[in-house]
Amino acid sequence: MVRPDDADGIAAAWRRERPGTPTESIGVVTRIWQIGKLLADDRARVLAELGIDRGTMDLLSVLRRAGEPYELTTRELTARTLITAGAISQRVARAEAAGLVRRTPGGAGRRAVTVTLTDAGHAEIERTVDRVLTREVELISGLPAERRRQLARELSDLLTDLTDRLGPPARTEI
Amino acid sequence: MVRPDDADGIAAAWRRERPGTPTESIGVVTRIWQIGKLLADDRARVLAELGIDRGTMDLLSVLRRAGEPYELTTRELTARTLITAGAISQRVARAEAAGLVRRTPGGAGRRAVTVTLTDAGHAEIERTVDRVLTREVELISGLPAERRRQLARELSDLLTDLTDRLGPPARTEI
DNA sequence: CCTCCTACGTTTAGGCCTAAACATAAACCG
DNA sequence: CGGTTTATGTTTAGGCCTAAACGTAGGAGG
């Protein structure tokens, strides 16, 4: 197995090939993407074993976290998630077909549709969430608690700064 | 615009709804995904203005960084990228149709296909790379140089640790 | 009231990816 | 040597997403 280029190697290659290329961001940006992909693929594997996909788990998670009575409008779901309204509509349709949520017209807004967790959906997320989060804690356990908290703070500062620069569209997951 | 849940809010919601849920990873993992998505969407916007897509830029970047004579086999491309061999095949086919690369049978390995940057492909990546990287440096300029380097080191440690735990499949981009 | 406008969802077309099936050159081996 | 395995790529089927077109309920304004 070829050892993939590390971020430092990529930056060095650009400077060698094109002296003057601005490379200061690569050490952070590339690694964020690499780590994100490793974690995302691992979660997909865990969920595949449980017979559920990421989109559905994301949906059920948001509803479960909202607390009793476990319902939100489509608009609220869109605002709390990283994806578009159309994708939410499709995710909800799939979850509804699987009996995990229920759609009922009427609710808060003008023409809102309320999405509610069914008992089956509630059971599904209970079955899943600890498995997923326990696995994740295990994955980052190489980082001692204090360094983990420090990293979280630094990422929080970066995220806040980016959000200010780019407008608000950075949303949730799990 | 509804303010999205922040990672701390998500962790707090899980602890409120399900005391005992392991939430220590959320502050790092969720933020990694959020930051990654903000940066990826921004890059997609920059590239859309330049009339090129992320996959193509990624391909041209890897070839350009390889240095003269700007060619790699499909297998090497797969090893240096975050995607599957099938996707590489499709990306190369698209780039070839656009005249940006050339495929020639034969090369290093057993039955290798060599992918070479054409002059048009070379020009395309020259036109693009500074724009993309300059934008990225600007985006993370809220982080002073020393903190940026420290964050890069911490991410590097985390990535190394994750790669060891999960096997080697963490690859490149840009 | 009636019309227009705006908020809210859904549907559709298309893109790109993954996983798996497929094709085949080259090497291995009895 | 000739059959079998292995390394490489490509193709195909299907999934999920985005962007944009499309419906339509309720207000707002005249």
Side-chain angles (χ1 to χ4, degrees):
Chain A
M1 173 74 81
V2 178
R3 194 69 182 176
D5 283 359
D6 161 85
D8 291 336
I10 295 173
W14 278 126
R15 284 192 298 266
R16 168 170 46 74
E17 291 295 321
R18 308 180 76 250
T21 307
T23 56
E24 307 95 278
S25 61
I26 294 178
V28 171
V29 174
T30 297
R31 287 188 179 108
I32 291 267
W33 283 334
Q34 291 175 334
I35 294 170
K37 177 146 171 65
L38 280 177
L39 293 170
D41 288 353
D42 188 79
R43 176 178 286 192
R45 273 193 295 278
V46 171
L47 290 177
E49 283 171 19
L50 292 166
I52 181 174
D53 64 273
R54 285 193 80 193
T56 302
M57 184 197 168
D58 193 22
L59 173 63
L60 301 185
S61 292
V62 174
L63 290 170
R64 178 65 183 81
R65 275 206 316 274
E68 295 264 21
Y70 308 121
E71 57 182 38
L72 293 169
T73 64
T74 299
R75 196 175 112 291
E76 291 169 323
L77 288 173
T78 302
R80 285 172 157 79
T81 313
L82 285 163
I83 60 175
T84 61
I88 288 286
S89 192
Q90 295 174 50
R91 281 188 179 182
V92 171
R94 286 197 297 273
E96 186 173 46
L100 302 172
V101 303
R102 191 169 43 240
R103 246 187 304 202
T104 48
R110 289 156 159 265
R111 195 177 74 97
V113 170
T114 300
V115 180
T116 311
L117 213 50
T118 63
D119 289 345
H122 194 285
E124 185 71 12
I125 190 64
E126 295 298 302
R127 182 176 79 98
T128 303
V129 64
D130 275 345
R131 288 278 280 273
V132 167
L133 290 178
T134 300
R135 168 63 170 166
E136 225 151 63
V137 168
E138 180 194 321
L139 279 181
I140 66 161
S141 64
L143 226 48
E146 185 42 50
R147 290 188 60 198
R148 192 192 66 230
R149 275 190 290 270
Q150 195 201 332
L151 178 55
R153 264 195 305 276
E154 285 164 359
L155 292 173
S156 176
D157 290 348
L158 176 56
L159 181 55
T160 301
D161 188 63
L162 283 175
T163 305
D164 290 347
R165 279 171 207 276
L166 295 170
R171 311 264 167 46
T172 320
E173 189 131 351
I174 242 252
Chain B
M1 172 75 80
V2 178
R3 194 69 184 174
D5 283 358
D6 161 85
D8 291 335
I10 294 173
W14 278 127
R15 284 193 298 266
R16 168 169 46 74
E17 291 295 321
R18 307 181 75 249
T21 307
T23 56
E24 307 95 280
S25 61
I26 294 177
V28 170
V29 174
T30 297
R31 287 188 180 108
I32 292 267
W33 283 334
Q34 290 175 334
I35 294 170
K37 177 145 172 66
L38 280 178
L39 293 171
D41 288 353
D42 188 77
R43 177 179 285 193
R45 271 192 296 277
V46 171
L47 290 177
E49 283 172 17
L50 293 166
I52 182 175
D53 64 273
R54 283 193 80 192
T56 301
M57 183 194 168
D58 194 22
L59 172 63
L60 302 185
S61 293
V62 174
L63 290 170
R64 179 63 184 81
R65 275 206 316 274
E68 295 263 21
Y70 308 123
E71 57 183 37
L72 293 169
T73 65
T74 299
R75 195 174 111 290
E76 292 169 322
L77 287 173
T78 302
R80 286 171 156 79
T81 312
L82 286 163
I83 59 175
T84 61
I88 287 286
S89 193
Q90 295 173 50
R91 281 188 180 183
V92 171
R94 286 197 295 274
E96 186 173 46
L100 302 172
V101 303
R102 190 171 42 241
R103 246 185 304 202
T104 49
R110 286 153 162 268
R111 196 177 74 97
V113 170
T114 300
V115 180
T116 311
L117 213 49
T118 62
D119 290 344
H122 194 285
E124 184 71 13
I125 190 64
E126 294 297 302
R127 181 175 78 97
T128 303
V129 64
D130 275 345
R131 287 277 281 272
V132 166
L133 290 178
T134 300
R135 168 63 171 167
E136 226 152 63
V137 168
E138 179 194 321
L139 279 181
I140 65 161
S141 64
L143 226 48
E146 186 42 51
R147 290 189 60 198
R148 191 191 68 229
R149 275 191 290 270
Q150 195 201 332
L151 178 55
R153 265 196 305 276
E154 285 164 359
L155 291 172
S156 176
D157 291 347
L158 176 56
L159 180 56
T160 302
D161 188 64
L162 284 175
T163 305
D164 291 347
R165 279 171 207 275
L166 295 170
R171 311 264 168 46
T172 319
E173 189 129 350
I174 241 246

